[in-house]
Amino acid sequence: MKLKIEIIDGRLSGKTFQIDSFPVCIGSLSNSNLQILFDKYISRAHCTIYNDDNNLYLIDMKSTNGTYVNDHLIQSAVRIKNEDIVKIGNTNFKCLIDQNV
C-alpha cells in the first residue's frame, strides 16, 4: 500500500509526498518522517499514520491544536479513506491511497 499526501493550501500548496512505509510521524520535529516547519500550529509530534490489516489509520499524538479528518476532530484512531482531507494546524492535505501496490 502506498499513500500520497498532497498539500492543498498554504505555502506548500500543490506539493506531494509519497509514503511507502509505515508508521509515518507528521510534525515539526526534525526526526519526523514528514516534517512541516512553516505552520506554527503544528505540534512537534502532531499525528501518526499507520497501516493495520491493509487499512490506513490516523491518530492524533496529543497535539495542542488537534487533528481533523473531513472537518471532524478525531479523538482516537480513525481509518482514512482515499481523498480524505486531513487538517493539522493551518495545513490541509488530501490522502491519496493506492491499495494495488
Side-chain angles (χ1 to χ4, degrees):
M1 175 175 296
K2 290 187 178 185
L3 170 66
K4 184 164 67 171
I5 291 176
E6 180 182 323
I7 308 292
I8 57 175
D9 59 9
R11 277 176 54 187
L12 294 179
S13 182
K15 184 147 178 72
T16 60
F17 301 91
Q18 186 70 42
I19 311 296
D20 299 322
S21 62
F22 301 93
V24 175
C25 178
I26 303 172
S28 62
L29 280 177
S30 62
N31 66 346
S32 296
N33 302 102
L34 179 52
Q35 183 184 30
I36 302 176
L37 292 173
F38 65 87
D39 188 336
K40 67 182 180 178
Y41 297 103
I42 293 179
S43 295
R44 290 174 286 184
H46 200 102
C47 61
T48 298
I49 298 174
Y50 65 93
N51 185 350
D52 186 28
D53 196 26
N54 212 31
N55 290 301
L56 293 179
Y57 292 88
L58 175 72
I59 188 166
D60 183 79
M61 303 304 289
K62 299 182 182 176
S63 67
T64 301
N65 296 303
T67 300
Y68 295 78
V69 176
N70 300 324
D71 294 322
H72 293 94
L73 179 65
I74 65 171
Q75 302 294 330
S76 59
V78 173
R79 181 175 171 233
I80 54 175
K81 298 174 289 309
N82 193 42
E83 298 197 7
D84 276 352
I85 304 297
V86 175
K87 179 180 180 185
I88 58 172
N90 287 327
T91 301
N92 291 283
F93 60 85
K94 185 185 296 187
C95 296
L96 301 169
I97 301 169
D98 184 356
Q99 293 183 317
N100 298 321
V101 177

